[in-house]
Amino acid sequence: MNDWPDRRTPTRRPAPPPQYRPAPGYDGPQGPGGHDGYNTGQVYGRGGAPARPGAGPGGGSGGGPGGPGRAAPGRAPRAGSPDWRKRLKIGAVAVVATVLAVSVGTYFWADSKLRHEVDLGALKDRPAAGSGTNYLIVGSDSREGLSDEDKKQLHTGSAEGKRTDSMMILHTGDNGTTMLSLPRDSYVTIPAFTGKQSGKRFPAATHKLNQAYADGGPELLAQTIEYNTGLRIDHYAEIGFGGFRNLVDALGGVEMCLDKPVKDRDSGADFKAGCQTLDGAQSLAFVRQRHQEADQDLGRMRNQQKFLNTLAKQAASPATILNPFRLYPVIGSGLDTLVVDKDMGLWDLTSMFWAMKGVTGGDGQQLTVPISNPSLPTRSDGVAVKWDTAKSKQLFEQLKKDEKVTVTGN
């Protein structure tokens, strides 16, 4: 018997959808007993809130439990874009720190290579300090570090002892730079001194300036120059044959432009007219040659001034300073054989070098001490060079007061 009305067959109801059962221990997005969204047909974001139209994953602006931007429990945080501003700052600081460390390290390395062997503080009866700074720059004929083959190649010979090959006073001040050459054969008064080796006391006497260096080294040379000029020497720098050659070679040579051919058998100079690059040995031959010059040593000093200006300009060029593969060999080769006074630091040496470069750029002048007789016969020293007393005195006064130099030299 069918109890359904109208004798219709009952329609079977569809079975309810299976309930979503979370894994044991999982309380669902809404916490214990909360709905998970699947049994109502709703779609939930990461935070459990119904997704809004147009919203991204997570139901909007990154909302999740605990506030915007926080990931749901058990989920890895979303990786953000790199902070380039922060990275650039860190990179800039790292570069500055590296440059600073290298610069400081280079300074102390270079300063440690200087040979502080001259004690100007031990000089007697020194003149009062004037204005500006006076550097005594000496090129000696020291053969230190040269082999027998080097001496033969450089035409230096093997003479014992040391003598000066060139002497210059470089004055710097508010009125520019003056590079003043002093002939090594200048006939001057050498003040009384005590021999370093013999301990014997020698009275004051008149001799060639070069004799002071031969008898008492850098200290007696500086004392003699102070005595005859009235200028207080603030710093001393000396380089020998070997150091000069190595310095030029480290620079890759020095370009010189000659207005006439130069040939001197004694120094080994043999150059054609025109512009050419001289290596270390050739440069040494050029600054030492004198027999082709009509006024001998005076002509040689002019060549030395010209060469040193070119050398300073090239050594201080960006191509050298900004290139560590050239800068470090130049520093190493030059400082190893550079003899300076005990108070001269690397900063003083750099100032001296830039002042020499400034002369080339027109910030100053170069001249030779005024001379009245370049061939003065003497009783025991052969032919010497006599200074012009009046002009020389005026020149030294202008330098001491750091006034504009108006005196012209030879």
Side-chain angles (χ1 to χ4, degrees):
M1 180 175 182
N2 193 342
D3 294 331
W4 290 93
D6 300 328
R7 305 181 65 88
R8 287 178 295 182
T9 303
T11 303
R12 180 174 291 182
R13 294 179 179 178
Q19 293 290 325
Y20 170 75
R21 295 183 182 278
Y26 176 65
D27 293 330
Q30 298 298 322
H35 297 290
D36 57 11
Y38 285 97
N39 59 346
T40 61
Q42 294 176 334
V43 179
Y44 283 82
R46 290 183 179 178
R52 295 190 303 274
S61 59
R70 295 182 60 182
R75 303 239 182 174
R78 184 179 178 183
S81 59
D83 189 343
W84 290 108
R85 180 176 296 178
K86 183 177 181 181
R87 292 187 180 186
L88 288 174
K89 287 182 179 179
I90 294 175
V93 170
V95 170
V96 171
T98 301
V99 171
L100 182 61
V102 171
S103 300
V104 172
T106 299
Y107 180 90
F108 285 105
W109 166 75
D111 190 65
S112 67
K113 296 177 76 66
L114 289 174
R115 296 169 54 181
H116 298 90
E117 300 177 4
V118 181
D119 187 5
L120 294 177
L123 304 187
K124 306 295 184 182
D125 303 321
R126 308 193 67 186
S131 300
T133 303
N134 297 312
Y135 301 88
L136 177 56
I137 304 173
V138 175
S140 75
D141 67 356
S142 171
R143 294 155 177 84
E144 180 182 356
L146 296 181
S147 65
D148 291 339
E149 182 62 29
D150 289 334
K151 295 175 184 177
K152 182 178 180 181
Q153 178 191 10
L154 299 177
H155 297 261
T156 64
S158 301
E160 297 295 329
K162 291 172 60 177
R163 286 159 294 277
T164 57
D165 212 57
S166 61
M167 287 169 282
M168 300 178 186
I169 294 177
L170 181 71
H171 173 84
T172 63
D174 294 336
N175 283 290
T177 302
T178 300
M179 184 181 288
L180 177 65
S181 290
L182 304 175
R184 62 180 184 174
D185 289 341
S186 299
Y187 206 52
V188 296
T189 298
I190 299 178
F193 69 98
T194 301
K196 287 185 176 181
Q197 296 181 350
S198 65
K200 181 180 178 181
R201 184 68 177 174
F202 293 90
T206 304
H207 293 287
K208 292 183 179 180
L209 181 57
N210 199 28
Q211 188 66 42
Y213 184 90
D215 289 342
E219 287 85 1
L220 184 56
L221 174 64
Q223 185 179 356
T224 301
I225 290 175
E226 287 189 344
Y227 182 87
N228 288 273
T229 65
L231 297 173
R232 188 182 182 96
I233 301 300
D234 299 296
H235 291 294
Y236 179 95
E238 174 192 328
I239 191 168
F241 285 163
F244 182 87
R245 179 195 60 179
N246 295 341
L247 176 61
V248 173
D249 284 339
L251 280 170
V254 173
E255 184 175 355
M256 292 296 297
C257 294
L258 308 179
D259 54 4
K260 60 182 180 181
V262 175
K263 190 174 182 65
D264 183 9
R265 184 183 61 183
D266 289 346
S267 70
D270 188 2
F271 312 116
K272 59 183 180 181
C275 295
Q276 54 209 288
T277 299
L278 307 183
D279 62 19
Q282 293 171 325
S283 298
L284 185 60
F286 175 74
V287 298
R288 294 183 63 219
Q289 68 87 20
R290 61 172 180 166
H291 295 296
Q292 184 171 306
E293 305 298 327
D295 45 5
Q296 298 285 305
D297 271 348
L298 299 182
R300 180 174 69 166
M301 284 190 299
R302 287 192 296 269
N303 288 336
Q304 290 172 347
Q305 288 178 337
K306 180 179 179 181
F307 183 87
L308 288 178
N309 289 340
T310 305
L311 176 68
K313 182 178 181 180
Q314 187 168 324
S317 68
T320 299
I321 295 177
L322 301 180
N323 183 354
F325 297 102
R326 174 174 286 188
L327 177 62
Y328 282 89
V330 168
I331 294 177
S333 63
L335 299 185
D336 272 341
T337 56
L338 190 64
V339 176
V340 299
D341 65 272
K342 293 184 176 181
D343 294 328
M344 190 173 199
L346 189 62
W347 181 258
D348 301 304
L349 183 63
T350 303
S351 298
M352 181 191 80
F353 206 71
W354 280 102
M356 292 173 62
K357 179 178 181 293
V359 174
T360 305
D363 183 24
Q365 58 181 316
Q366 39 191 331
L367 63 154
T368 300
V369 63
I371 294 171
S372 61
N373 188 352
S375 303
L376 175 70
T378 67
R379 182 176 301 176
S380 59
D381 290 64
V383 176
V385 174
K386 180 177 174 55
W387 294 353
D388 185 309
T389 304
K391 287 186 177 181
S392 296
K393 183 178 180 180
Q394 182 183 0
L395 172 61
F396 299 146
E397 284 294 324
Q398 290 176 342
L399 292 177
K400 186 169 185 175
K401 296 177 181 178
D402 193 29
E403 298 175 346
K404 183 177 178 60
V405 174
T406 60
V407 179
T408 58
N410 293 77

